Amino acid sequence: MEAPRHRLHSGLRLWEFPDQYVIEPTDGSAAPCLDISRLDGSMKLIDQVAECNSLRVPKIRSIFGVVGVLKLLAGSYLVVVTESQSVGSFLGHPIFRINSLKVLPCDHSLKNSPEEQKKVETDFSRLLSVAERTNGLYFSYEINLTLSAQRLHDLGDESKSLPLWRQAEPRFLWNNYMLEVLIDNKLDQFLLPVIQGSFHSFQTAIGRDIVDITLIARRCTRRNGTRMWRRGADPDGYVANFVETEQIVHMNGYTSSLTQIRGSMPFMWEQIVDLTYKPKFEIVQPEEAARIAERHFLDLRKKYGSVLAVDLVNKHGGEGRLSERFAGAMQHINGDDVRYLHFDFHHICGHIHFERLAILYEQMEDFLDKSGYFLLNEKGEKMKEQSGIVRTNCIDCLDRTNVTQSMIGRKMLELQLRRIGVFGAEEVISSHPNFDERYKILWANHGDDISIQYSGTPALKGDFVRYGRRTVQGILNDGWNALARYYLNNFADGTKQDAIDLVQGHYIVAVNRDMAPVPRKGGLEAVANFPVALAVVLISLWFATMSVKRAGSDYKHLFFSLVWAGISVAVTAFMRANGRIFCNRPRLHKPRP
């Protein structure tokens, strides 16, 4: 918890004047107001809001925090929280989910800019409207959400006295880049740290005891992005879809937690969207795989201790090539502190026999017993600490990964409850129907949140996590979500990736670079459009079918049926060969300097 002098403002009022924004604290702190110029985004503290008159009539609204500032070519853009919702507590402190962000332009200087610069600024500012719709954002006015319970407990008194943003783990701080301007202006009480991930909790009774279970996820920002646009690792060993999941139980004054992680296979590989349902896996710079994996696991060991890497991908086919490369890279790393374990999820469990994950648990049980979990007694004294971590991956690190992590979480929670003295030696969660049902829902919601952020849809196989078995409705939902992922990956996620890169500082807008005119599409590429092409294929197939039905011995109809069939085949082949024309390719490709 932060010291009182650094306490964040928990109530704010936004005054929108024609030439300035004023953010007034309304939490009774009598602190100064923050003045932001709408001309150039410059900031200063003022004692009170200026008087209004007929020429300066402000819009007034309540806001719940300042997320940060983004600078583009000519203007700055203030990002604030306009709607939030209480979702529970983390170690006794209230947690809020952001339901709505608002981007406020400070771009009046753009009026005097060249016309080309105005056009480019408009293009970039459109990406901010995409960023406004970012989901899975959480914050607290009182506690640092970027650190696990164990790391928070281990913080020294000096660190605990710092402002929340200075305590934060940068890789889990979603608005790390956007806070830079506020940090430069020493505006600690307005600096709201935000994480992206998931937060769910529930309470249930076991006899006369009340158990409080919380599941929180923290998404890493180093290689953040969408499913097909962020795969594998970068040269520094940061991987796509890296998420830290912490399960916390409070009971009878005890607090215990277990942390797990997921992340893409830690070497450079990619899938280029090309309109196929499952684009080919391409390994990039295979000679660098061992070095990148070693760097990745060195970082994990520093942060978490020993590591068990559980690889769930198929042993054969395209996935098999990736798994083989992963296993090869791990040969140079395996040792006392790092262990690699392959488990072909689809081959062993198929699509319905997920109870066979017990085979995997047997193979990791010794590691879990040794690495343990974090435990505090009624006096807040540390009785146990977690000294290692299970790192799970499949291809997307979503569906198979979530099923596996929920199994590990369940097994370890049963051990924790036995240690606290609530469960007997053979007692399990499934012997308490209400507890069992709510625990399954907790993990299913958690998996859906992480999946929506990365793929755009809820997790597949979620019915097993939610109900403990596969259902017909669940299988149908998986089919629909798979189609939705295909559409989003090919035709929407490129723009979303641009917005993520812009907001998180992976792409810095610069006048000398971004003023170059964007090439205009010409010829066929100017009109190439997936819905149009798909419509042509469907219409051609329909005419071909009608012509065949009427053909009989009529060569004329037979000829036209062949023509229509030929058109549909030709257009389909063109779509396949020219997929990148139809796909939504990102425009931002240059990294942050």
Side-chain angles (χ1 to χ4, degrees), residues 294-346:
E294 184 175 13
R295 187 160 184 172
H296 174 75
F297 281 96
L298 177 62
D299 182 58
L300 295 186
R301 286 170 56 200
K302 287 179 179 177
K303 289 182 170 65
Y304 299 105
S306 56
V307 184
L308 174 62
V310 179
D311 181 13
L312 301 174
V313 305
N314 300 346
K315 197 171 184 63
H316 303 290
E319 290 191 12
R321 289 196 306 111
L322 295 179
S323 181
E324 184 180 347
R325 179 64 60 179
F326 191 7
M330 293 302 295
Q331 288 180 357
H332 306 283
I333 305 169
N334 276 328
D336 294 337
D337 294 333
V338 179
R339 179 182 155 207
Y340 172 81
L341 173 61
H342 181 260
F343 182 83
D344 190 332
F345 187 103
H346 284 153

Side-chain angles (χ1 to χ4, degrees), residues 7-27:
R7 191 181 299 278
L8 282 165
H9 293 307
S10 56
L12 297 168
R13 184 181 295 124
L14 174 65
W15 300 70
E16 297 184 48
F17 291 99
D19 58 342
Q20 67 183 152
Y21 298 113
V22 178
I23 298 175
E24 176 192 15
T26 57
D27 51 11

Side-chain angles (χ1 to χ4, degrees), residues 521-539:
K521 291 180 180 179
L524 184 59
E525 188 171 352
V527 297
N529 178 280
F530 175 73
V532 172
L534 182 60
V536 171
V537 171
L538 294 177
I539 291 170

Side-chain angles (χ1 to χ4, degrees), residues 8 22 126 144 283 529 555 589:
L8 282 165
V22 178
R126 285 197 189 105
N144 178 5
I283 298 174
N529 178 280
Y555 291 107
H589 53 83

Side-chain angles (χ1 to χ4, degrees), residues 5-263:
R5 71 179 185 275
H6 295 308
R7 191 181 299 278
L8 282 165
H9 293 307
S10 56
L12 297 168
R13 184 181 295 124
L14 174 65
W15 300 70
E16 297 184 48
F17 291 99
D19 58 342
Q20 67 183 152
Y21 298 113
V22 178
I23 298 175
E24 176 192 15
T26 57
D27 51 11
S29 61
C33 304
L34 176 60
D35 178 289
I36 303 118
S37 167
R38 296 184 69 167
L39 178 67
D40 56 9
S42 58
M43 299 179 178
K44 62 182 178 181
L45 293 175
I46 57 176
D47 292 332
Q48 60 185 17
V49 181
E51 291 186 10
C52 308
N53 56 49
S54 59
L55 298 178
R56 298 182 77 250
V57 179
K59 294 180 182 177
I60 305 172
R61 72 168 91 179
S62 294
I63 61 173
F64 302 93
V66 179
V67 174
V69 174
L70 275 170
K71 290 187 175 182
L72 298 184
L73 283 177
S76 294
Y77 296 80
L78 179 69
V79 185
V80 298
V81 180
T82 53
E83 292 180 25
S84 67
Q85 176 183 351
S86 176
V87 291
S89 64
F90 178 66
L91 303 177
H93 300 280
I95 305 302
F96 301 88
R97 181 177 64 231
I98 295 175
N99 290 338
S100 178
L101 292 174
K102 181 67 176 176
V103 175
L104 303 170
C106 306
D107 60 353
H108 286 186
S109 61
L110 193 60
K111 295 176 182 177
N112 302 320
S113 301
E115 199 62 34
E116 189 61 37
Q117 186 170 336
K118 290 179 182 178
K119 290 179 181 177
V120 175
E121 183 88 0
T122 301
D123 286 341
F124 280 116
S125 61
R126 285 197 189 105
L127 293 178
L128 299 184
S129 65
V130 177
E132 281 183 330
R133 299 192 293 273
T134 302
N135 54 29
L137 302 179
Y138 298 84
F139 68 90
S140 173
Y141 297 115
E142 300 178 2
I143 193 168
N144 178 5
L145 293 182
T146 66
L147 297 183
S148 66
Q150 179 168 310
R151 293 189 66 190
L152 278 171
H153 182 270
D154 292 344
L155 276 182
D157 291 338
E158 185 177 345
S159 295
K160 290 178 182 177
S161 69
L162 296 172
L164 286 183
W165 71 267
R166 293 194 64 184
Q167 297 178 29
E169 166 68 78
R171 64 194 175 124
F172 294 134
L173 187 58
W174 179 78
N175 56 331
N176 188 36
Y177 172 64
M178 287 189 283
L179 288 178
E180 289 181 1
V181 173
L182 298 176
I183 292 170
D184 291 343
N185 284 274
K186 298 180 172 57
L187 299 168
D188 288 348
Q189 290 186 291
F190 292 93
L191 286 157
L192 182 69
V194 176
I195 67 166
Q196 185 178 30
S198 176
F199 186 94
H200 296 281
S201 62
F202 72 89
Q203 284 187 338
T204 191
I206 300 178
R208 294 185 177 181
D209 297 312
I210 302 298
V211 185
D212 191 321
I213 307 292
T214 297
L215 199 58
I216 181 171
R218 307 171 180 96
R219 178 175 294 282
C220 181
T221 63
R222 301 296 196 207
R223 191 165 168 75
N224 198 3
T226 57
R227 180 171 172 250
M228 289 294 182
W229 304 100
R230 283 293 181 270
R231 293 294 209 188
D234 66 15
D236 294 320
Y238 295 115
V239 297
N241 202 22
F242 185 91
V243 178
E244 178 184 280
T245 294
E246 182 180 19
Q247 177 179 276
I248 304 170
V249 55
H250 297 283
M251 192 170 193
N252 296 341
Y254 286 83
T255 297
S256 188
S257 78
L258 174 77
T259 303
Q260 303 182 62
I261 53 176
R262 69 179 76 192

